[in-house]
Structure formats: structure tokens, C-alpha cells
Amino acid sequence: MDRLMEIRAQVPAVSTQVYLNTGTAGPMPEPVRAAMVESLASQLADGRIRADYYVKLSRLKREIRERHAALLGCDPEEIALTQNTTDGMNMVTLGVNWQPGDEAITTNLEHAGALFPLFAARQRYGITIRIADVLDRPEEAAAVIERLITPRTKLISLSHVSYITGAVLPIREIAEVAHRHGVLLLVDGAQSFGAMPVDVKALGVDFYAVTSQKWLCGPEGAGALYASRDAISQVRITFASYGTAQSYDLYGGLLPWGNAKKFEQGTVQPAVLAGQLAALRWLTEEVGTDWAHGRIRRLAADARELLAAVPGVTVVTPAETAGLVTFQVEANADAVLKALAAQEIIVRTVPHPRSLRLSTGFYNTEEELERLAAALQPLARA
Ligand SMILES: Cc1ncc(COP(=O)(O)O)c(C=O)c1O
């Protein structure tokens, strides 16, 4: 059995359907299920809080931080465990020392994960949000953003890969612009981490929020936030918990961790952490991240080519892609989505502009993409 078939055998959901929606949630591999069930079984058998409970839990958390650090190219001290991407985006966005009239910049390609924390900050602190229009020319995002910077700008918050168009934004250039003007840069890595190589130090970002349930194929409820050593002290704590503090004094208040742990929550479900770790181990040790990234990219390029040849289909995603390919159909997008689902081909729709989007997982096959293209032939035309 070749490598791809071995991997597919561990992800049963990809055999019962043409699963092209990893950008929403990756299919669960057997080792993730096994780790979660084992954790629950031990909670059932052992009554949860045994003498070694916290030792084991902190070992689990440490390895998850270390593995994220290894994948993101940073120090484990710069990783906070979170519940999902949006959790990390909130921690940073709401933790900036906002004063009324301060400004934030985002783009018109963003998910609620970046936008809603900004909207909440606007409501709470009276900030202004400036929107960079990068829809047609994402490669020029750094220049467009720089034109929006004023002396009041404190934060640039945007995604590395747009969930709408699949465009990969030039984060390194944007980081240079941000730092030239003394502005913090927060990146939503929901559609990049696990789908393409990400080196936070090379990119020069201050914060980078990621999750487990998409390109890592881990469980829901588990994510991570990279906070650079220099930026940690520039953002205040929004959710204070026993995970946040190294100690406290009833009269003096809490002494937060000096590292990224200062953003962490207290109680979490250990089975979720066990699943998160199992996904990280499976991806790095069994699948191989280089192999996975290469395959995701190649399949995305194949998808662009196959779709471009279907009458009535227009590919939206630029040539520089990660694992998302967005396309428009002349026919009604919702009707096409439904017709594809009836053939067990799973994609999704995205808004502004209303389009269909597929994700190429490393476990997908070239034949599955051909099946999608063939299914679209009679559907795409108005
Ligand atoms: C770009 C982007 N950001 C954030 C999210 C939300 O991620 P999470 O559910 O991990 O908060 C998604 C997808 O759901 C996304 O595509």
C-alpha cells in the first residue's frame, strides 16, 4: 500500500464521500479518536482527579506547546493554549491598550474570527476600524495597508490565507510595514497552519492564532496562540484564570506568567488536549508535514486547472495558494452545492463575492478532483 493509501485508511470519513472541506473541519484520523477515547476511559475508570492528574495534564500541555513551537518556528514559552483560532484573536484584540479614537486595520477578506473581536473592541473602547480593500490585488496588501496607517493605529489584524478567496497575503511585507510604524500585527492562521509552512520568526509577526480542527485534523476546542517574546507584555489579560497567574496575593492581585501562558484558561477537557496532541504527533511523525504541505499545494494547483476548464466556472483564487480554491459558477451557487452534496461531494459556499470553495487535504486524491470537475460540467452553467 502506498503512503497515501495508508494515510487514507486511517481517515475513514474520506472513503465514504469526496471530502473537500478541510478548511471548515478536517476529517478525524483514527489516532485522534483513540487518544480521546483513551482519555475518557481513564477519566471514567480513575474518577478523574488522582494524585498524578495535574502532573500528567501539565506534561500534556507542555508537549502541545512544544510541538506547536516546533511547527511555527518559535520558543514554547511563546505559545499559549487556546480553544480555537477566534479565542486567540480575541485575547489579543481585546487586550490591546485601546484609548477612544485609536485605530485598527483589517481587510475585506476576513472571517468573523478576526472581525468580531475588532467589532467588540470598537463597541467597548470606541476605536475606529479601517478596512483595506485587497480583494482584487492581495499581493499589494502591504502598500494598501500602509496608506491606512495613522499615528493612532495600534493593531493590524488579518488572516494569512483568506477563507473567502484563498489568497495568501504577503505577511512578511505587512509585518515590515507594521513595525516601521510601531503597530502590532495579529495574524489569523486558521487557513494556513497545517496547510502550508509557517515560520512566525521569518514572517516577523507579533501574534499568530491557530486551531486544531481544520488542517491538523484534531478535535474542536483546541488551538494555540503564538505571542512573540517582545509582544507579550504589550497586550493585557482579558480572561484571567488560574492558568494565567504564577501566583497571587489577595491584596496585591495576580502575578501573571511572564510568557505566553499568561493568556491561558484554567480548566479544559483533557480528552480534547489528548486529541490535539495525537493530531500533532500523527501529522509530524506519520504523515510528515513537508509531504502534507507539498500535496495540499499540488492538489490545489490541479483543482485550479481542472475547474478552469469547466464551462460556466470561474476560478477566484490567485495562483499563489495554500489549500483553498474558490470558484464561481454561472448557476445558483446554493443549488450547485446541494447537487454536489447529493453526489457525496462536499464543498462549501463563501460570501462576498458569493462563491463555492473547496479545500485540498493531503489525503485527497487527484481522482476526487476529477470527479468534482465532472460533476460540475452539467451544473455550472446558468
Ligand atoms: C480565516 C478563518 N478564521 C477563523 C476561523 C474560525 O476558526 P475557529 O473555529 O478555530 O475559531 C475560520 C474558520 O472557521 C477561518 O476560516
Side-chain angles (χ1 to χ4, degrees), residues 93-94 98-133 144-145 147-150 152-158:
T93 307
L94 294 171
W98 296 116
Q99 304 301 320
D102 282 346
E103 296 177 10
I105 299 173
T106 188
T107 80
N108 57 345
L109 297 180
E110 303 306 323
H111 188 272
L115 289 179
F116 289 9
L118 286 170
F119 295 161
R122 178 165 63 191
Q123 236 171 22
R124 187 171 297 181
Y125 302 109
I127 67 168
T128 296
I129 302 168
R130 296 189 184 275
I131 312 282
D133 180 356
V144 177
I145 286 169
R147 284 197 287 276
L148 297 179
I149 292 179
T150 76
R152 298 302 304 264
T153 310
K154 280 195 172 153
L155 180 73
I156 296 170
S157 174
L158 43 63

Side-chain angles (χ1 to χ4, degrees), residues 67-68 71-72 189-196 198 208-211 214-216 280 293:
R67 285 186 178 268
H68 274 95
L71 287 174
L72 289 166
Q191 299 298 350
S192 48
F193 184 58
M196 59 183 271
V198 175
Y208 200 96
V210 302
T211 197
K214 297 179 186 289
W215 296 92
L216 296 189
L280 288 160
H293 294 157

Side-chain angles (χ1 to χ4, degrees), residues 80-359:
L81 302 184
T82 64
Q83 289 184 36
N84 48 52
T85 320
T86 309
D87 208 17
M89 300 300 286
N90 270 288
M91 285 171 188
V92 177
T93 307
L94 294 171
V96 170
N97 186 17
W98 296 116
Q99 304 301 320
D102 282 346
E103 296 177 10
I105 299 173
T106 188
T107 80
N108 57 345
L109 297 180
E110 303 306 323
H111 188 272
L115 289 179
F116 289 9
L118 286 170
F119 295 161
R122 178 165 63 191
Q123 236 171 22
R124 187 171 297 181
Y125 302 109
I127 67 168
T128 296
I129 302 168
R130 296 189 184 275
I131 312 282
D133 180 356
V134 296
L135 182 63
D136 293 329
R137 297 189 180 279
E139 69 281 3
E140 291 172 16
V144 177
I145 286 169
E146 186 160 28
R147 284 197 287 276
L148 297 179
I149 292 179
T150 76
R152 298 302 304 264
T153 310
K154 280 195 172 153
L155 180 73
I156 296 170
S157 174
L158 43 63
S159 43
H160 197 164
V161 174
S162 166
Y163 93 104
I164 300 175
T165 65
V168 181
L169 290 181
I171 297 297
R172 195 143 66 105
E173 288 171 35
I174 296 169
E176 276 169 23
V177 164
H179 296 148
R180 206 181 309 135
H181 294 272
V183 175
L184 289 171
L185 176 60
L186 164 64
V187 177
D188 170 343
Q191 299 298 350
S192 48
F193 184 58
M196 59 183 271
V198 175
D199 181 333
V200 288
K201 297 294 178 192
L203 291 172
V205 300
D206 298 298
F207 300 97
Y208 200 96
V210 302
T211 197
S212 167
Q213 83 277 11
K214 297 179 186 289
W215 296 92
L216 296 189
C217 303
E220 285 89 350
L225 173 70
Y226 159 75
S228 82
R229 211 178 286 284
D230 291 342
I232 288 170
S233 61
Q234 297 182 54
V235 168
R236 297 176 302 177
I237 298 162
T238 296
F239 301 105
S241 77
Y242 68 77
T244 302
Q246 41 182 314
S247 66
Y248 81 100
D249 174 87
L250 184 57
Y251 300 99
L254 63 84
L255 178 64
W257 293 105
N259 54 27
K261 274 204 289 187
K262 88 173 195 184
F263 299 113
E264 286 191 7
Q265 298 288 300
T267 306
V268 287
Q269 169 54 259
V272 171
L273 294 177
Q276 185 182 23
L277 179 56
L280 288 160
R281 284 182 179 164
W282 182 68
L283 202 65
T284 45
E285 279 152 31
E286 289 195 50
V287 176
T289 45
D290 289 350
W291 182 83
H293 294 157
R295 223 183 132 67
I296 289 167
R297 196 182 162 86
R298 261 195 318 282
L299 287 171
D302 289 353
R304 289 180 85 252
E305 220 175 288
L306 283 164
L307 291 174
V310 178
V313 170
T314 308
V315 175
V316 172
T317 304
E320 167 75 15
T321 53
L324 301 180
V325 179
T326 300
F327 57 99
Q328 289 176 332
V329 285
E330 286 172 14
N332 179 283
D334 294 297
V336 172
L337 181 79
K338 231 166 129 186
L340 291 174
Q343 298 177 55
E344 299 294 339
I345 300 174
I346 312 301
V347 296
R348 65 161 283 178
T349 51
V350 286
H352 324 300
R354 188 106 185 125
S355 311
L356 289 151
R357 187 191 82 185
L358 69 92
S359 312

